[in-house]
Amino acid sequence: MNPLDELKRLYGEGGALENPARYKWEVLYAETRALVSFENHQKIMGFYKQWTETRNPHYLDWIQLILIQCNATPSPMLCNIFAEGAALRLSGGVAGTPEKIIKDSAKAYAFRVMMNLIYAGSTLESASIKAAFQVQAIFKTVKPYKASGLEKAYVKEIRASGLEAEHFEAWDQSTALREDEGSIAFWNDAKESWPECDDDLTGFRR
C-alpha cells in the first residue's frame, strides 16, 4: 500500500475533517516526498510550515520555484495550497517580504545541518563551521552567517528550548523518522568529508 492510500485508510473521511491541518500536512509530506529529492523535500515542508504560521504567500512562491527547478508537477494537495495563496493575494492580505523568507530559510537550514551532524557525532563547533560553509554555498543572496553566531543561536534556539533533545529521542526510537532526515551513512560521511568555512566566517568564540 502506498503512503497516500495508507493515510486515507488511517484517517478516513471523518478523520480528515476532524483534524484537517494534520491531514493536509501528512498528505503533502507523502506527495512531495515522491516528487523531489530529500533536500528539496525538506525545503518544501519548511516553506509550507512557515506559510501556515505566517500566511505569507511568498513562501508558496519558493515552493513553486523548487518545483520548476526540479521539473516537477505540483501534487493535488499543493495545487489546493497554491489556490489558498492566490486567494489571499487577491484579497489584499499579503504579509511579509521575500527577503526575510530567504534569510529565515538559510538559518533554519543551518540548524538542520548542525542537528544532523551533532547526532552523527560532530562537536557543536565543528557542526557550526560546516553549516556556515553550506549556507554560504547554497544561499548566495544572503549575508553569510558566521559559525560562531550559528553556534550561539543553535544553543539558544534549538538546544536550550529542548528541540534538539526532542528530535534525538524521536530519531533513536524511529528508524523511519531518522531516514526522513537522510541516512545515517550520509551524515556520517558528511561529518568527515564536508568542507569547513574559511577563517573569515569562523567568527569569535569566548
Side-chain angles (χ1 to χ4, degrees):
M1 183 178 293
N2 67 48
L4 283 175
D5 288 340
E6 177 67 7
L7 280 172
K8 292 173 183 176
R9 183 187 70 79
L10 290 173
Y11 276 89
E13 182 90 20
L17 293 175
E18 288 175 10
N19 195 346
R22 182 66 183 176
Y23 178 74
K24 184 182 290 187
W25 171 274
E26 294 197 13
V27 169
L28 179 64
Y29 190 99
E31 287 181 345
T32 53
R33 189 69 185 91
L35 285 177
V36 296
S37 68
F38 162 76
E39 183 174 335
N40 283 318
H41 176 252
Q42 293 296 304
K43 289 180 182 178
I44 286 174
M45 295 309 298
F47 285 138
Y48 175 67
K49 181 176 185 294
Q50 292 298 320
W51 152 248
T52 62
E53 293 175 351
T54 67
R55 309 310 284 177
N56 180 348
H58 291 301
Y59 286 108
L60 302 184
D61 295 339
W62 281 97
I63 294 177
Q64 293 189 62
L65 181 59
I66 291 172
L67 295 177
I68 291 170
Q69 292 173 338
C70 297
N71 195 29
T73 302
S75 67
M77 184 61 76
L78 271 177
C79 288
N80 290 337
I81 293 167
F82 291 155
E84 291 178 18
L88 186 65
R89 279 194 165 100
L90 290 173
S91 70
V94 177
T97 64
E99 290 78 16
K100 185 177 185 305
I101 291 173
I102 300 173
K103 185 174 178 62
D104 289 348
S105 297
K107 186 178 180 182
Y109 174 74
F111 284 165
R112 187 174 69 82
V113 167
M114 291 171 68
M115 191 182 299
N116 279 283
L117 289 173
I118 292 168
Y119 187 79
S122 288
T123 64
L124 175 61
E125 180 178 351
S126 176
S128 67
I129 292 172
K130 291 180 183 295
F133 179 91
Q134 293 297 318
V135 169
Q136 181 188 38
I138 295 173
F139 295 87
K140 298 183 183 297
T141 61
V142 173
K143 181 180 178 181
Y145 282 98
K146 290 187 182 294
S148 57
L150 287 175
E151 183 176 327
K152 293 173 185 175
Y154 182 91
V155 169
K156 179 180 180 180
E157 299 178 36
I158 305 299
R159 182 164 289 176
S161 68
L163 284 174
E164 182 187 63
E166 181 181 318
H167 277 77
F168 287 0
E169 181 180 359
W171 293 345
D172 286 341
Q173 295 176 357
S174 172
T175 301
L177 287 176
R178 174 60 255 171
E179 294 296 311
D180 281 341
E181 287 290 319
S183 69
I184 294 175
F186 173 85
W187 288 108
N188 282 337
D189 178 70
K191 178 184 65 175
E192 302 298 332
S193 64
W194 275 14
E196 298 182 344
C197 65
D198 294 334
D199 291 343
D200 62 329
L201 284 183
T202 300
F204 175 74
R205 289 180 172 84
R206 293 183 180 179

